[in-house]
Amino acid sequence: MLLFRRKKDLIAHLAALKNTSTSVGLVPTMGALHEGHLAIVKKAISETKVVVVTIFVNPTQFDNQDDLNKYPDTLDSDLEALKTISEELIVFAPAVTELYSNNISSKEYDFDGLDTTMEGKFRSNHFLGVATVVEKLFSIVKPNKAYFGEKDFQQLLIIKKLIEITNMPIEIIGCPIVREPHGLAMSSRNERLPKDLRVKASFIYETLLAAKEIFGMKSATSVMNWVKNKFDKQPEFDLEYINITDQDTLNPVKRKQKNTKYRAFIAVYVNGVRLIDNIALN
Ligand code: PAF
């Protein structure tokens, strides 16, 4: 496994490999890797010849300094975890100045409103920061394919939009959510939950599954109200939002249409830890 800290070294290494018309897959991460990330890396390995995993805690996507400070720095164990999958991986773990020089700020983008709802509404400028760093990584690695988890489904849509806006020739691949045995979606934040709450937090996914059932019979508004009601009765959970939207535009559902795909999105605080999840409804 090769670890690069400098973009110029990574660019030179990839340029030499690309001469042999190799396909390159990119898996951007912020480290603290878990099984969900590893599943994405495995998918990239199965589809592309050279796989670059980036590990970079991106300051511009945090609206809350405390959240950024609390973000775990686990490079050594991340590298160990990646080694168990393949010795051939290329890892890029730059310092903040390497990507941002002295200008740690986000670019402006017009994402057609995709960035102002849900995660974008509750974490201001979050997606501008995500897009800024992902565009930087895309222009350094120039991958053929880039892989993102569906747990951050809104982020996945925004990255697809970024490709539309920038015209970069990169195929964006969404990867299914990986869950803990009890159903909680894998996240680096799960580590911050005491064991009992980590099991209890499966309530989030159970509620989404039930919502999916009910959505077959009821309107989006009734299903959202039903979910709110369920959470009102759970003192350990603080529901931030439940949204049912058109899965492509993230617009609210007025009247269900036959050929439209819908998805439910949820954000919940459990013991001060913010968890998100989503589920396809049809
Ligand atoms: O999903 C993440 O971990 C981050 O938002 C990403 C895509 C690596 C950008 O920092």
Side-chain angles (χ1 to χ4, degrees), residues 147-186:
Y147 297 81
F148 295 85
E150 285 186 352
K151 186 172 82 73
D152 297 299
F153 196 88
Q154 190 176 5
Q155 167 172 282
L156 177 63
L157 290 185
I158 282 167
I159 303 298
K160 287 184 178 165
K161 193 84 188 163
L162 174 71
I163 291 296
E164 224 177 278
I165 295 171
T166 57
N167 260 323
M168 286 174 157
I170 303 170
E171 190 184 341
I172 304 302
I173 316 275
C175 305
I177 298 176
V178 179
R179 297 184 179 280
E180 298 199 0
H182 297 282
L184 178 64
M186 293 250 179

Side-chain angles (χ1 to χ4, degrees), residues 111-172:
F111 289 125
D112 248 352
L114 284 175
D115 58 328
T116 49
T117 164
M118 297 190 290
E119 291 307 286
K121 185 164 155 200
F122 289 95
R123 303 173 70 189
S124 56
N125 293 333
H126 169 68
F127 288 119
L128 298 180
V130 170
T132 301
V133 79
V134 170
E135 189 179 352
K136 285 178 192 290
L137 295 171
F138 282 172
S139 38
I140 295 168
V141 178
K142 298 194 172 27
N144 303 85
K145 295 184 177 190
Y147 297 81
F148 295 85
E150 285 186 352
K151 186 172 82 73
D152 297 299
F153 196 88
Q154 190 176 5
Q155 167 172 282
L156 177 63
L157 290 185
I158 282 167
I159 303 298
K160 287 184 178 165
K161 193 84 188 163
L162 174 71
I163 291 296
E164 224 177 278
I165 295 171
T166 57
N167 260 323
M168 286 174 157
I170 303 170
E171 190 184 341
I172 304 302

Side-chain angles (χ1 to χ4, degrees), residues 93-104:
V96 173
T97 47
E98 188 65 16
L99 289 193
Y100 284 97
S101 305
N102 294 324
N103 181 19
I104 306 178

